[in-house]
Amino acid sequence: MGHLDHAAYGWLTPVLSYVMACIGAALGLRCTVRALAATGPSRRNWLLTAASAIGTGIWTMHFVAMLGFDVTGTEIHYDVPLTVLSLLVAMVVVGAGVFAVGYGNQRRRSLLLGGLTTGLGVASMHYLGMAALRLHGSVSYEPLTVGLSVAIAVVAATAALWAALHIKAPAAVAVASLVMGAAVSSMHYTGMTAVAVRVAPSAQALPGATAMQFVFPLAVGLGSYLFLTSAFVALSPTADERAASASASASASASASAPDSASASGSASASAAASAR
């Protein structure tokens, strides 16, 4: 059996992966809140942004954490197509859960369906990412711990969607995001405790790419996307702010038209008086 190290760089990868999970959760929650206050294409666009943010945040969290994963006696490579597929699965399945909540007529049933779908999507992403591992040896899993990790993913996803439906204040969303980040990280490391590796030393070159060749640049790119999207969401006006702006514009227009009406009325009165003379 090979010795597994889940934090080869110390606390750097666990802390950074947790931060990425929190950013993705915060952005996804804010976008879902915006979506529920919007209608038509605007709601759809906000939900798409929420799905991409949550899916990207979870994927980035997983693979940043995997940068610290090391097995004594073998190199670790990643199958590129499977790794990309895990990202697509995360966004598509999380998107299905978010849309179930965003367009569901019965909130409770939509929440349960969305939480189950999103949680299974998170777990699928995790284990697809693990299936992309290429090393000299074989990987096995402890079934009960795998089941526990999936249960954590479903509960965490349901709690996050509940927060999106019921929590509106930015401070409360921030707290919910910290909790969601902790839940996603717990799911990841619970799943990793289920892993056992039997090393079979070999001089044969491993297929795929190393983490630094592929995963690290992609994680940096997706992390940049999260930061830029966070800035966009923070700077874009909310539905309440747009309504207040429209109301203020209407009031200003009414105030501006009042003197014109009074002036026109005065002119008409003067003309009538002149005619009477």
Side-chain angles (χ1 to χ4, degrees), residues 5 7 18 43 53 63 71 74 85 97 108 197 204 207 238:
D5 188 349
Y18 171 68
R43 171 173 289 196
F63 279 101
V71 181
T74 178
L85 178 61
R108 179 174 295 180
V197 177
Q204 186 176 0
T238 64

Side-chain angles (χ1 to χ4, degrees), residues 5-229:
D5 188 349
H6 297 288
Y9 298 103
W11 284 100
L12 176 62
T13 50
V15 170
L16 185 56
S17 64
Y18 171 68
V19 170
M20 299 310 299
C22 290
I23 292 174
L27 184 53
L29 291 178
R30 290 304 298 163
C31 289
T32 306
V33 169
R34 298 287 187 93
L36 294 175
T39 57
S42 181
R43 171 173 289 196
R44 179 202 62 207
N45 294 338
W46 279 117
L47 289 174
L48 287 173
T49 305
S52 66
I54 296 173
T56 298
I58 293 169
W59 187 94
T60 306
M61 176 271 146
H62 171 83
F63 279 101
V64 167
M66 289 302 292
L67 291 175
F69 180 66
D70 185 64
V71 181
T72 303
T74 178
E75 290 184 287
I76 295 176
H77 285 198
Y78 292 88
D79 180 275
V80 174
L82 263 183
T83 303
V84 173
L85 178 61
S86 70
L87 172 60
L88 296 178
V89 166
M91 290 193 290
V92 170
V93 183
V94 168
V98 169
F99 270 79
V101 169
Y103 285 103
N105 294 323
Q106 297 182 358
R107 283 291 176 87
R108 179 174 295 180
R109 188 167 69 179
S110 298
L111 177 62
L112 293 177
L113 177 61
L116 178 62
T117 304
T118 304
L120 292 178
V122 172
S124 299
M125 181 282 305
H126 174 86
Y127 288 105
L128 264 177
M130 292 301 296
L133 279 177
R134 297 293 179 264
L135 46 76
H136 292 303
S138 59
V139 179
S140 60
Y141 297 90
E142 202 283 311
L144 288 179
T145 309
V146 169
L148 177 60
S149 70
V150 173
I152 292 174
V154 171
V155 171
T158 304
L161 293 176
W162 179 90
L165 288 172
H166 295 89
I167 296 177
K168 308 300 180 185
V173 169
V175 173
S177 302
L178 294 176
V179 175
M180 178 63 178
V184 171
S185 297
S186 298
M187 178 268 161
H188 172 84
Y189 286 105
T190 299
M192 293 306 294
T193 60
V195 176
V197 177
R198 186 174 296 278
V199 176
S202 173
Q204 186 176 0
L206 287 170
T210 66
M212 289 301 176
Q213 288 173 335
F214 173 66
V215 174
F216 180 71
L218 188 56
V220 169
L222 293 175
S224 300
Y225 162 76
L226 287 176
F227 280 109
L228 291 174
T229 308

